[in-house]
Amino acid sequence: MTEATLNKLKILAAAAKYDVSCSSSGTVRANKSKDSVGNTVSGVGICHSFAADGRCIALLKVMLTNYCAFDCAYCINRRTNDIPRATLSVSELVELTMEFYRRNYIEGLFLSSGIVRNPDYTMERLVRVAHDLRVTHRFNGYIHLKSIPGASRELVTQAGLYADRMSVNIEIPNENSLKYLAPDKNFKSIYQPMGYVRQGVLENKEDRRKFRSTPRFVPAGQSTQIIVGASPERDRDILRLSSALYSTPTLRRVYYSGYIHVNSYDTRLPALKQPPLVRENRLYQADWLMRFYHFKANEIADDRFPDLDLEIDPKLSWALRHPEAFPIDVNRADYEMLLRVPGIGVKSATLIVNARHYRRLGSDHLKKIGVVMKRARYFITCGELTAVCVADATPEYVRRQLTAPQSRRLQSPPEQLTLDFG
Amino acid sequence: MDDSTCTLRYDGSFDGLLTAVFERYSRRINAESVLSDKADIPMFLDRVIDVDTDEAKARRVWNGVKRIMTNTGQKLLTQSYLSAEPGIDSSIFRIIIKSIDTERTVENDFADPDVLAAWHAARRVGQERHQMLQFLRFQKAADGSYFAPVEPRYDVLPMAVEHFANRFADQRFLIFDISRKYGFYYDGNKTIRVTLEGDLPHLRSGRLTEELMDEQERLFQDLWRTYFHAIAIAERANPRKQRHDMPARYWHLLTEMQSPPLHTIPT
Ligand code: SF4
């Protein structure tokens, strides 16, 4: 480890920064020995810092190399770009991870790579980093490895023995668009390694049933990333894809990354002045609705409404399209219905269900519990309240009330949908 | 005793608070609130009864609490107590009394102002602990051990130290609360509480001096700062979110928020 490493780290962190995933969640593993280091803790994981772009830093997110044989139009590291390139050695990566971890800078490592020579050559080196960390250094923290598109089953399976999470980024949500923008890739090269991991996990489950001591295989499952706004797909298409992915056994997280116009010379790409951050945020909210609010993809966006409303969040948008579902009686409605009310989040819905065992709830109680009454009042009744309901007042009226300039804060997402981008 | 309500004054400890509950029942005192003798006595209070902390009595009350309240409810009481917010002791006092009187835990009655206050306080304390797990930074010392200064708003180090001992089981470390002037030392086997008197500069400043520092420490701090700056996407700059998620009161102890890397590298 020398000062030359500084320069390489600078290049390879910058090369990795467009991959938005940085989460260390999805698995709990205690450190059972006094001579090993690291564990993973429950919950959402630990963000150790926040970069100037406000994103969580949980992992050392870095590329092994940013040399790449491929030429994907949307990628800063594509072969044809004339940019500084660097490669970190296996031992440098291992040492950086260990030293950062021991100082409580990070939860672990997220390692990806450009494709050098061929997919297997690259994958093999990723595996070696993970192997050395786990075996030589008894590192028990979090490891997220990229499955390199086109890598062999053997290598992907080996990687899965050491990694907590693996991911292949789909990037472009439609195969034709993908082939157009990334001629070296197709859906097969992406779904195949995903399939290897899935199979590995399922077989591992079987084995663990027989032998409890079998080590776990990719315990935090898989994730993927979709770039938003580089190709013409609608939100409906993206959400359908996400929902199909979530229905597979091991896929835990889909990340959405607003396209940043890094290769402005490439005319296959739209010339966006700003990354579509509002749209990206709406997609995260929609994703949130599918995972925690029991919404289906086609309730959020369908052929009649193929794109998410940028002005209001997708839950409010659904409610305004379904005035007939309201008002909801907070003292009786079941948990599922409470979740559908704009202004009531997972937390306040849980509190309501608990608190009403003790007494009838009025608007004062609801406010204290954390219900955003400014929104919720158009959609609920609680006995004493005589506010106008959306069904009578019309959706247009409610919409105007809730998007009036003084109440609009574009920067912050709506109250019940605060997101971690971790 | 006449029927007008009065206030029980205790020594500010959790045991003292539990003793107050005990005395309320055993001496049939009509008390709805408590007052720590560390707090100023409000002017309008005229009926104050002093309570002497008694461990045995406290334990009996706590056993009663354990019978009625769930683990979550018990944690709610101890954790919200750590917030030391004015009036939170009285809320805890009343939560226990209400639960004892009705023989049923009120911990989930979120429409009760005391319960809600306790949940909010407990959440703030829990958040402070979590932020210690997030933002604590070790520096490596020349003798191979690690040192981390902390300065939490509430006294949460005892709640957090186990996390570090588990995680860094093979690593000797000292975590020191530089404002409360005590810490925990983990020797690779067990954690011991230490209060270091005397004037060790790094226990005041939070920074190891050059002589005490491992020879590679500077390099790794620079590497970390380099990484921290390189990973941010300029097109998405969002200082508001950064400040919200990483409050400025932590910055002076965060390695990455100190001056930019000494070695500025041309891009
Ligand atoms: S394969 Fe990956 S690193 Fe290489 S150009 Fe495509 S997206 Fe970029």
Coordinates of all heavy atoms in Angstrom, one line a residue, chain A residues 3 6-7 9-10 17 31 33-34 38-39 47-55 59 61 99 101-105 107 260 277 280 347 351 358-359 365 368 411, chain B residues 105 109-111 116 123 133-138 146 166-171 188-189 217 220 223-224 226-228 231-233 236 238 240-242 256 263 265:
Chain A
E3 N 1.3 5.5 -1.7 CA 0.6 6.7 -2.2 C 0.1 6.5 -3.6 O -0.9 7.2 -4.0 CB 1.5 7.9 -2.0 CG 2.2 8.0 -0.7 CD 2.0 9.3 0.0 OE1 1.9 10.3 -0.6 OE2 1.9 9.2 1.3
L6 N -3.5 5.8 -3.8 CA -4.5 6.9 -3.7 C -5.0 7.3 -5.0 O -6.2 7.5 -5.2 CB -3.7 8.2 -3.1 CG -3.7 8.4 -1.6 CD1 -2.7 9.5 -1.3 CD2 -5.1 8.8 -1.2
N7 N -4.1 7.4 -6.0 CA -4.5 7.8 -7.3 C -5.5 6.8 -8.0 O -6.5 7.1 -8.6 CB -3.3 8.0 -8.2 CG -3.6 9.0 -9.3 OD1 -4.7 9.6 -9.4 ND2 -2.6 9.1 -10.3
L9 N -7.3 4.6 -6.4 CA -8.6 4.6 -5.6 C -9.5 5.7 -6.1 O -10.7 5.5 -6.3 CB -8.3 4.7 -4.1 CG -9.6 4.7 -3.3 CD1 -10.3 3.4 -3.4 CD2 -9.2 5.0 -1.8
K10 N -8.8 6.8 -6.4 CA -9.6 8.0 -6.8 C -10.3 7.7 -8.2 O -11.5 7.9 -8.4 CB -8.7 9.2 -7.0 CG -9.4 10.5 -7.3 CD -8.5 11.7 -7.3 CE -9.4 12.9 -7.6 NZ -8.5 14.1 -7.7
K17 N -19.1 5.1 -9.2 CA -20.0 5.9 -8.5 C -21.4 5.9 -9.1 O -22.4 6.1 -8.4 CB -19.6 7.3 -8.3 CG -19.5 8.1 -9.6 CD -18.9 9.5 -9.3 CE -18.7 10.2 -10.6 NZ -18.0 11.5 -10.4
N31 N -20.5 -12.3 14.7 CA -19.1 -12.6 14.7 C -18.9 -13.6 15.9 O -18.9 -13.2 17.0 CB -18.2 -11.4 14.9 CG -16.7 -11.7 14.8 OD1 -16.3 -12.8 14.4 ND2 -15.9 -10.7 15.2
S33 N -16.3 -15.5 16.7 CA -15.0 -15.9 17.1 C -14.2 -14.7 17.6 O -14.4 -13.6 17.1 CB -14.2 -16.6 16.0 OG -12.8 -16.5 16.2
K34 N -13.3 -14.9 18.5 CA -12.5 -13.8 19.0 C -11.3 -13.4 18.1 O -10.6 -12.5 18.3 CB -11.9 -14.1 20.4 CG -13.0 -14.1 21.5 CD -13.2 -12.7 22.1 CE -14.3 -12.8 23.2 NZ -15.1 -11.6 23.3
G38 N -15.6 -8.6 12.2 CA -16.7 -8.2 11.4 C -18.0 -9.0 11.7 O -18.0 -10.2 12.1
N39 N -19.1 -8.4 11.4 CA -20.4 -9.0 11.5 C -21.3 -8.2 10.6 O -21.0 -7.1 10.1 CB -20.9 -9.0 12.9 CG -21.0 -7.7 13.5 OD1 -20.8 -6.6 12.9 ND2 -21.3 -7.6 14.8
C47 N -25.3 3.1 7.5 CA -24.6 4.0 6.6 C -23.5 4.7 7.4 O -23.8 5.3 8.4 CB -25.6 5.1 6.2 SG -26.8 4.4 5.0
H48 N -22.3 4.7 7.0 CA -21.3 5.2 7.8 C -21.0 6.7 7.4 O -20.4 7.4 8.2 CB -20.0 4.4 7.6 CG -20.1 3.2 8.5 ND1 -19.9 3.2 9.8 CD2 -20.4 1.9 8.1 CE1 -20.1 1.9 10.3 NE2 -20.4 1.2 9.3
S49 N -21.4 7.1 6.2 CA -21.2 8.5 5.9 C -22.2 8.9 4.8 O -22.9 8.0 4.3 CB -19.7 8.7 5.4 OG -19.5 10.1 5.4
F50 N -22.2 10.1 4.5 CA -23.1 10.6 3.4 C -22.2 11.6 2.5 O -21.7 12.5 3.0 CB -24.3 11.3 4.0 CG -25.2 10.3 4.6 CD1 -25.1 10.0 5.9 CD2 -26.2 9.7 3.9 CE1 -25.9 9.0 6.5 CE2 -27.1 8.8 4.5 CZ -26.9 8.4 5.8
A51 N -22.2 11.2 1.3 CA -21.4 12.0 0.3 C -22.1 13.3 0.0 O -23.2 13.5 0.4 CB -21.2 11.2 -0.9
A52 N -21.4 14.2 -0.7 CA -21.9 15.5 -1.0 C -23.2 15.4 -1.9 O -23.9 16.3 -1.9 CB -20.8 16.3 -1.7
D53 N -23.4 14.2 -2.5 CA -24.7 14.1 -3.2 C -25.8 13.5 -2.3 O -26.9 13.2 -2.8 CB -24.5 13.2 -4.5 CG -23.8 11.9 -4.1 OD1 -23.8 11.5 -2.9 OD2 -23.3 11.2 -5.0
G54 N -25.5 13.4 -1.0 CA -26.5 13.0 -0.1 C -26.7 11.5 -0.1 O -27.5 11.0 0.7
R55 N -25.9 10.7 -0.9 CA -26.1 9.3 -0.9 C -25.3 8.6 0.3 O -24.2 9.1 0.6 CB -25.7 8.7 -2.2 CG -26.6 9.2 -3.3 CD -26.3 8.5 -4.6 NE -24.8 8.6 -4.9 CZ -24.2 7.8 -5.8 NH1 -24.9 6.8 -6.4 NH2 -22.9 7.9 -6.0
L59 N -20.6 1.0 2.0 CA -19.6 0.0 1.5 C -18.5 0.8 0.8 O -18.6 1.9 0.3 CB -20.2 -1.0 0.6 CG -21.4 -1.8 1.1 CD1 -22.1 -2.6 0.0 CD2 -21.0 -2.7 2.2
K61 N -17.2 1.1 -2.3 CA -17.8 0.7 -3.6 C -16.7 1.1 -4.7 O -16.4 2.3 -4.9 CB -19.1 1.5 -3.9 CG -19.7 1.2 -5.2 CD -21.1 1.7 -5.2 CE -21.3 3.2 -4.9 NZ -22.7 3.6 -5.0
E99 N -8.5 -2.4 6.2 CA -8.1 -1.2 7.0 C -9.3 -0.2 7.2 O -9.4 0.4 8.2 CB -6.9 -0.5 6.3 CG -5.6 -1.3 6.3 CD -5.0 -1.5 7.7 OE1 -5.2 -0.7 8.5 OE2 -4.3 -2.5 7.9
Y101 N -12.4 -1.1 7.2 CA -13.4 -1.7 8.0 C -13.0 -1.6 9.5 O -13.8 -1.2 10.4 CB -13.5 -3.2 7.7 CG -14.7 -3.9 8.4 CD1 -16.0 -3.8 7.8 CD2 -14.6 -4.6 9.5 CE1 -17.1 -4.4 8.4 CE2 -15.7 -5.2 10.2 CZ -16.9 -5.1 9.6 OH -18.0 -5.6 10.2
R102 N -11.7 -1.8 9.8 CA -11.2 -1.7 11.2 C -11.4 -0.4 11.8 O -11.3 -0.2 13.0 CB -9.8 -2.2 11.2 CG -9.6 -3.7 11.0 CD -8.2 -4.2 11.4 NE -8.1 -5.6 11.3 CZ -8.6 -6.5 12.2 NH1 -9.3 -6.0 13.2 NH2 -8.4 -7.8 12.0
R103 N -11.4 0.7 10.9 CA -11.6 2.0 11.4 C -13.1 2.4 11.5 O -13.4 3.6 11.7 CB -10.8 3.0 10.5 CG -9.3 2.9 10.8 CD -8.5 3.6 9.7 NE -7.1 3.6 10.0 CZ -6.2 2.5 9.8 NH1 -6.7 1.4 9.3 NH2 -5.0 2.6 10.1
N104 N -13.9 1.5 11.2 CA -15.4 1.8 11.2 C -15.8 2.7 10.1 O -16.8 3.5 10.3 CB -15.9 2.2 12.6 CG -17.3 2.0 12.8 OD1 -17.8 0.9 12.5 ND2 -18.1 2.9 13.4
Y105 N -15.1 2.8 9.0 CA -15.5 3.6 7.9 C -16.6 2.9 7.1 O -17.4 3.6 6.4 CB -14.3 3.8 6.9 CG -13.1 4.5 7.4 CD1 -11.9 4.5 6.7 CD2 -13.1 5.3 8.6 CE1 -10.8 5.1 7.1 CE2 -12.0 5.9 9.0 CZ -10.8 5.9 8.3 OH -9.7 6.5 8.7
E107 N -19.1 -0.9 6.1 CA -19.7 -2.2 6.5 C -19.1 -3.3 5.7 O -19.3 -4.5 6.0 CB -21.2 -2.2 6.2 CG -22.0 -1.4 7.1 CD -22.0 -1.9 8.5 OE1 -22.6 -3.0 8.8 OE2 -21.3 -1.3 9.4
I260 N -27.5 9.9 -16.2 CA -26.7 11.1 -16.3 C -26.0 11.1 -17.7 O -25.4 10.1 -18.0 CB -25.7 11.1 -15.1 CG1 -26.5 11.2 -13.8 CG2 -24.7 12.3 -15.3 CD1 -25.6 11.0 -12.6
L277 N -34.3 13.3 -11.8 CA -34.3 12.9 -10.4 C -35.7 12.8 -9.8 O -35.9 11.9 -9.0 CB -33.5 13.9 -9.6 CG -32.0 14.0 -9.9 CD1 -31.3 15.0 -9.0 CD2 -31.3 12.6 -9.8
E280 N -37.0 9.5 -11.0 CA -36.3 8.5 -10.3 C -36.9 8.3 -8.9 O -37.2 7.2 -8.5 CB -34.8 8.8 -10.2 CG -34.0 7.9 -9.4 CD -32.7 8.5 -9.0 OE1 -31.8 8.5 -9.9 OE2 -32.5 8.9 -7.8
K347 N -45.7 3.1 9.6 CA -45.6 3.2 11.0 C -46.9 3.7 11.7 O -47.4 3.1 12.6 CB -44.4 4.2 11.3 CG -43.8 3.9 12.6 CD -42.8 4.9 13.2 CE -41.6 5.2 12.4 NZ -41.2 6.6 12.4
L351 N -49.4 2.0 14.4 CA -49.7 2.6 15.7 C -51.2 2.7 15.8 O -51.8 2.5 16.9 CB -49.1 4.0 15.8 CG -47.6 4.1 15.8 CD1 -47.1 5.5 16.1 CD2 -47.0 3.2 16.9
Y358 N -57.4 0.6 22.8 CA -57.5 1.3 24.0 C -58.7 2.3 24.0 O -59.3 2.5 25.0 CB -56.3 2.0 24.4 CG -55.1 1.1 24.7 CD1 -54.3 0.7 23.7 CD2 -54.8 0.6 26.0 CE1 -53.2 -0.1 23.9 CE2 -53.8 -0.2 26.3 CZ -52.9 -0.6 25.2 OH -51.9 -1.4 25.5
R359 N -58.9 2.8 22.9 CA -60.0 3.9 22.8 C -60.3 4.2 21.4 O -59.5 3.8 20.5 CB -59.4 5.2 23.5 CG -58.4 5.9 22.7 CD -57.7 6.9 23.4 NE -56.8 6.4 24.4 CZ -56.4 7.0 25.5 NH1 -56.8 8.2 25.7 NH2 -55.5 6.5 26.3
H365 N -55.6 12.5 18.2 CA -54.8 11.4 18.4 C -54.0 11.1 17.2 O -52.8 10.8 17.2 CB -55.7 10.1 18.8 CG -56.4 10.3 20.1 ND1 -57.8 10.0 20.1 CD2 -56.0 10.7 21.3 CE1 -58.2 10.3 21.4 NE2 -57.1 10.7 22.1
K368 N -51.1 13.3 16.6 CA -50.0 13.0 17.5 C -49.3 11.7 17.1 O -48.1 11.5 17.3 CB -50.5 12.8 19.0 CG -50.9 14.2 19.5 CD -50.6 14.3 21.0 CE -51.0 15.6 21.6 NZ -52.4 15.6 22.1
Q411 N -38.1 19.4 -3.2 CA -36.9 18.7 -2.8 C -37.2 17.5 -1.9 O -36.6 16.4 -2.0 CB -35.9 19.6 -2.1 CG -35.2 20.6 -3.0 CD -34.5 19.8 -4.1 OE1 -33.7 18.9 -3.8 NE2 -34.8 20.1 -5.3
Chain B
T105 N -50.4 -3.5 30.5 CA -49.5 -2.6 30.0 C -50.1 -1.5 29.1 O -51.0 -1.8 28.3 CB -48.3 -3.2 29.2 OG1 -47.4 -2.2 28.8 CG2 -48.8 -4.0 28.0
D109 N -50.6 2.2 24.0 CA -51.7 3.2 23.9 C -51.1 4.5 23.4 O -50.8 5.5 24.1 CB -52.3 3.4 25.3 CG -53.5 4.3 25.3 OD1 -53.8 4.8 24.2 OD2 -54.1 4.6 26.3
F110 N -50.9 4.6 22.1 CA -50.2 5.7 21.5 C -51.0 7.0 21.6 O -50.5 8.0 21.2 CB -49.8 5.4 20.1 CG -48.9 4.2 20.0 CD1 -49.4 2.9 19.6 CD2 -47.6 4.2 20.4 CE1 -48.6 1.8 19.5 CE2 -46.8 3.1 20.4 CZ -47.3 1.9 20.0
A111 N -52.3 6.9 22.0 CA -53.0 8.1 22.1 C -52.9 8.7 23.5 O -53.4 9.8 23.8 CB -54.5 7.8 21.8
L116 N -46.8 8.4 24.3 CA -46.3 9.0 23.1 C -44.9 9.7 23.4 O -44.0 9.6 22.6 CB -47.3 9.9 22.5 CG -47.2 10.1 21.0 CD1 -47.5 8.8 20.3 CD2 -48.3 11.1 20.6
R123 N -37.0 7.0 20.9 CA -36.6 7.0 19.5 C -35.4 7.9 19.4 O -34.4 7.5 18.7 CB -37.7 7.4 18.6 CG -37.2 7.1 17.1 CD -38.3 7.2 16.1 NE -38.9 8.5 16.2 CZ -40.1 8.8 15.8 NH1 -40.9 7.9 15.5 NH2 -40.5 10.1 15.9
L133 N -23.0 4.2 16.0 CA -22.5 3.0 15.2 C -22.1 3.5 13.8 O -21.2 3.0 13.2 CB -23.6 2.0 15.1 CG -24.3 1.4 16.3 CD1 -25.0 0.1 15.9 CD2 -23.4 1.2 17.4
Q134 N -22.8 4.5 13.3 CA -22.5 5.0 12.0 C -21.2 5.9 12.0 O -20.4 5.7 11.1 CB -23.6 6.0 11.5 CG -25.0 5.3 11.3 CD -26.0 6.4 10.8 OE1 -26.6 7.1 11.6 NE2 -26.2 6.4 9.5
F135 N -21.1 6.8 12.9 CA -20.2 7.9 12.7 C -18.9 7.8 13.6 O -18.0 8.6 13.5 CB -20.8 9.3 12.9 CG -22.0 9.5 12.0 CD1 -23.2 10.0 12.5 CD2 -21.9 9.1 10.7 CE1 -24.3 10.2 11.7 CE2 -23.0 9.3 9.8 CZ -24.2 9.9 10.3
L136 N -18.8 6.8 14.4 CA -17.6 6.6 15.2 C -16.5 6.3 14.3 O -16.7 5.5 13.3 CB -17.8 5.5 16.2 CG -16.7 5.1 17.1 CD1 -17.2 4.7 18.5 CD2 -15.9 3.9 16.5
R137 N -15.3 6.9 14.5 CA -14.1 6.6 13.6 C -13.0 6.2 14.5 O -12.6 6.9 15.4 CB -13.8 7.8 12.8 CG -14.8 8.3 11.8 CD -15.0 7.3 10.6 NE -16.0 7.8 9.7 CZ -17.2 7.4 9.7 NH1 -17.6 6.4 10.5 NH2 -18.1 7.9 8.8
F138 N -12.4 5.0 14.2 CA -11.2 4.6 14.9 C -9.9 5.2 14.3 O -9.9 5.3 13.0 CB -11.0 3.1 14.9 CG -11.9 2.4 15.9 CD1 -12.9 1.6 15.5 CD2 -11.7 2.6 17.3 CE1 -13.7 0.9 16.4 CE2 -12.6 2.0 18.2 CZ -13.6 1.1 17.8
Y146 N -6.7 0.6 18.8 CA -7.4 1.6 18.1 C -8.1 2.6 19.1 O -8.5 2.2 20.2 CB -8.5 1.0 17.2 CG -7.9 0.2 16.1 CD1 -7.3 -1.0 16.2 CD2 -7.9 0.8 14.8 CE1 -6.8 -1.7 15.2 CE2 -7.4 0.1 13.7 CZ -6.8 -1.1 13.9 OH -6.3 -1.8 12.8
N166 N -18.3 -6.9 19.7 CA -18.7 -8.0 18.8 C -18.0 -7.9 17.5 O -17.4 -8.9 17.0 CB -20.2 -8.1 18.6 CG -20.9 -8.6 19.9 OD1 -20.3 -9.2 20.7 ND2 -22.2 -8.2 20.0
R167 N -18.2 -6.7 16.9 CA -17.7 -6.6 15.5 C -16.2 -6.6 15.5 O -15.6 -7.3 14.6 CB -18.2 -5.2 15.0 CG -17.6 -4.9 13.7 CD -18.3 -3.8 13.0 NE -19.6 -4.3 12.5 CZ -20.3 -3.7 11.6 NH1 -19.9 -2.6 11.1 NH2 -21.5 -4.2 11.2
F168 N -15.5 -5.9 16.4 CA -14.0 -5.9 16.3 C -13.4 -6.8 17.4 O -12.6 -6.3 18.1 CB -13.6 -4.4 16.4 CG -14.2 -3.5 15.4 CD1 -15.1 -2.6 15.7 CD2 -13.8 -3.7 14.0 CE1 -15.7 -1.8 14.7 CE2 -14.3 -2.9 13.0 CZ -15.3 -1.9 13.4
A169 N -13.9 -8.0 17.4 CA -13.5 -8.9 18.5 C -12.0 -9.2 18.6 O -11.5 -9.4 19.6 CB -14.3 -10.2 18.3
D170 N -11.3 -9.0 17.5 CA -9.9 -9.4 17.5 C -9.0 -8.1 17.6 O -7.8 -8.1 17.2 CB -9.5 -10.2 16.3 CG -9.6 -9.4 15.0 OD1 -10.2 -8.3 15.0 OD2 -9.0 -9.8 14.0
Q171 N -9.6 -7.0 18.0 CA -8.9 -5.7 17.9 C -9.1 -5.0 19.2 O -10.2 -4.8 19.7 CB -9.6 -5.0 16.7 CG -9.6 -3.5 16.6 CD -10.2 -3.0 15.3 OE1 -10.4 -3.8 14.3 NE2 -10.6 -1.8 15.3
G188 N -9.6 -7.3 23.8 CA -9.5 -8.5 23.0 C -10.3 -9.7 23.6 O -10.6 -10.7 23.0
N189 N -10.8 -9.4 24.9 CA -11.6 -10.4 25.6 C -12.8 -9.8 26.3 O -13.9 -10.3 26.2 CB -10.7 -11.0 26.7 CG -10.2 -12.4 26.3 OD1 -11.1 -13.2 25.9 ND2 -8.9 -12.7 26.3
E217 N -1.3 5.3 9.6 CA -2.6 5.9 9.9 C -3.0 7.1 9.0 O -4.0 7.2 8.5 CB -2.7 6.3 11.4 CG -4.0 7.1 11.8 CD -5.2 6.3 11.6 OE1 -5.2 5.0 11.5 OE2 -6.3 6.9 11.5
F220 N -4.0 6.0 5.6 CA -5.4 5.5 5.4 C -6.4 6.6 5.6 O -7.5 6.5 5.0 CB -5.6 4.3 6.4 CG -5.0 3.0 5.8 CD1 -3.8 2.5 6.4 CD2 -5.5 2.4 4.7 CE1 -3.2 1.4 5.8 CE2 -4.9 1.3 4.2 CZ -3.8 0.8 4.7
L223 N -6.6 8.1 2.3 CA -7.3 7.2 1.3 C -8.8 7.3 1.5 O -9.5 7.3 0.6 CB -6.8 5.7 1.5 CG -5.4 5.4 0.9 CD1 -4.9 4.1 1.6 CD2 -5.6 5.2 -0.6
W224 N -9.2 7.3 2.8 CA -10.6 7.4 3.1 C -11.2 8.7 2.6 O -12.2 8.8 2.0 CB -10.8 7.2 4.6 CG -12.2 7.4 5.0 CD1 -12.7 8.3 5.9 CD2 -13.4 6.7 4.6 NE1 -14.0 8.2 6.1 CE2 -14.5 7.2 5.3 CE3 -13.7 5.7 3.7 CZ2 -15.8 6.8 5.1 CZ3 -15.0 5.2 3.5 CH2 -16.0 5.8 4.2
T226 N -10.0 10.6 0.2 CA -10.0 10.5 -1.3 C -11.2 9.8 -1.8 O -11.9 10.2 -2.7 CB -8.7 9.8 -1.7 OG1 -7.6 10.4 -1.2 CG2 -8.6 9.7 -3.2
Y227 N -11.5 8.6 -1.1 CA -12.6 7.8 -1.5 C -13.9 8.6 -1.4 O -14.7 8.7 -2.2 CB -12.7 6.6 -0.7 CG -13.9 5.8 -1.0 CD1 -14.1 5.1 -2.2 CD2 -15.0 5.8 -0.1 CE1 -15.2 4.4 -2.5 CE2 -16.1 5.1 -0.4 CZ -16.2 4.4 -1.5 OH -17.4 3.7 -1.8
F228 N -14.0 9.3 -0.2 CA -15.2 10.0 0.2 C -15.5 11.1 -0.9 O -16.7 11.3 -1.3 CB -15.0 10.6 1.5 CG -16.1 11.5 2.0 CD1 -17.3 11.0 2.4 CD2 -16.0 12.9 1.9 CE1 -18.4 11.8 2.8 CE2 -17.1 13.7 2.3 CZ -18.2 13.2 2.8
I231 N -16.4 9.4 -4.6 CA -17.7 8.6 -4.8 C -18.9 9.5 -5.0 O -19.9 9.0 -5.4 CB -17.9 7.7 -3.6 CG1 -18.7 6.5 -3.9 CG2 -18.4 8.4 -2.4 CD1 -18.1 5.5 -4.9
A232 N -18.8 10.8 -4.7 CA -19.9 11.7 -4.9 C -20.1 12.1 -6.4 O -19.2 12.3 -7.1 CB -19.7 13.0 -4.1
I233 N -21.4 12.1 -6.8 CA -21.7 12.5 -8.2 C -22.1 14.0 -8.2 O -23.0 14.4 -7.6 CB -22.9 11.7 -8.7 CG1 -22.6 10.2 -8.7 CG2 -23.3 12.1 -10.1 CD1 -23.7 9.3 -9.2
R236 N -25.5 15.4 -9.0 CA -26.5 15.2 -8.0 C -26.3 15.8 -6.7 O -26.9 15.4 -5.7 CB -26.7 13.7 -7.8 CG -26.9 12.9 -9.1 CD -27.1 11.4 -8.8 NE -28.2 11.2 -7.9 CZ -29.3 10.4 -8.2 NH1 -29.3 9.8 -9.3 NH2 -30.2 10.3 -7.3
N238 N -26.3 17.4 -3.3 CA -27.5 17.6 -2.5 C -27.0 17.8 -1.0 O -27.2 16.9 -0.2 CB -28.4 16.3 -2.6 CG -29.7 16.5 -2.0 OD1 -30.0 17.5 -1.2 ND2 -30.7 15.6 -2.2
R240 N -28.2 19.5 1.3 CA -29.2 19.5 2.3 C -29.5 18.1 2.8 O -29.6 17.8 4.0 CB -30.5 20.0 1.7 CG -31.2 21.0 2.6 CD -32.6 21.4 2.0 NE -33.6 20.5 2.5 CZ -34.8 20.4 2.0 NH1 -35.1 21.1 0.9 NH2 -35.7 19.7 2.5
K241 N -29.5 17.1 1.9 CA -29.7 15.7 2.4 C -28.5 15.2 3.2 O -28.6 14.6 4.2 CB -30.0 14.8 1.2 CG -30.2 13.4 1.6 CD -30.8 12.5 0.5 CE -31.2 11.1 1.0 NZ -30.1 10.4 1.6
Q242 N -27.3 15.6 2.7 CA -26.1 15.2 3.4 C -26.1 15.7 4.9 O -25.9 15.0 5.8 CB -24.9 15.8 2.7 CG -23.5 15.4 3.4 CD -22.3 16.1 2.8 OE1 -22.4 17.3 2.4 NE2 -21.2 15.4 2.7
E256 N -13.5 12.0 7.4 CA -13.7 12.5 6.0 C -14.1 13.9 5.9 O -14.1 14.5 4.9 CB -14.7 11.6 5.3 CG -16.1 11.5 5.9 CD -16.3 10.5 7.0 OE1 -15.3 10.2 7.7 OE2 -17.4 9.9 7.1
H263 N -2.7 15.3 -0.5 CA -2.2 15.0 -1.8 C -3.3 15.3 -2.8 O -4.2 14.4 -2.9 CB -1.8 13.6 -1.9 CG -1.2 13.1 -0.6 ND1 0.2 12.9 -0.5 CD2 -1.7 12.8 0.6 CE1 0.4 12.5 0.7 NE2 -0.7 12.4 1.4
I265 N -4.7 15.2 -6.3 CA -4.3 14.4 -7.4 C -5.0 15.0 -8.6 O -6.2 15.2 -8.6 CB -4.7 13.0 -7.3 CG1 -4.1 12.4 -6.0 CG2 -4.2 12.1 -8.5 CD1 -5.1 11.5 -5.3

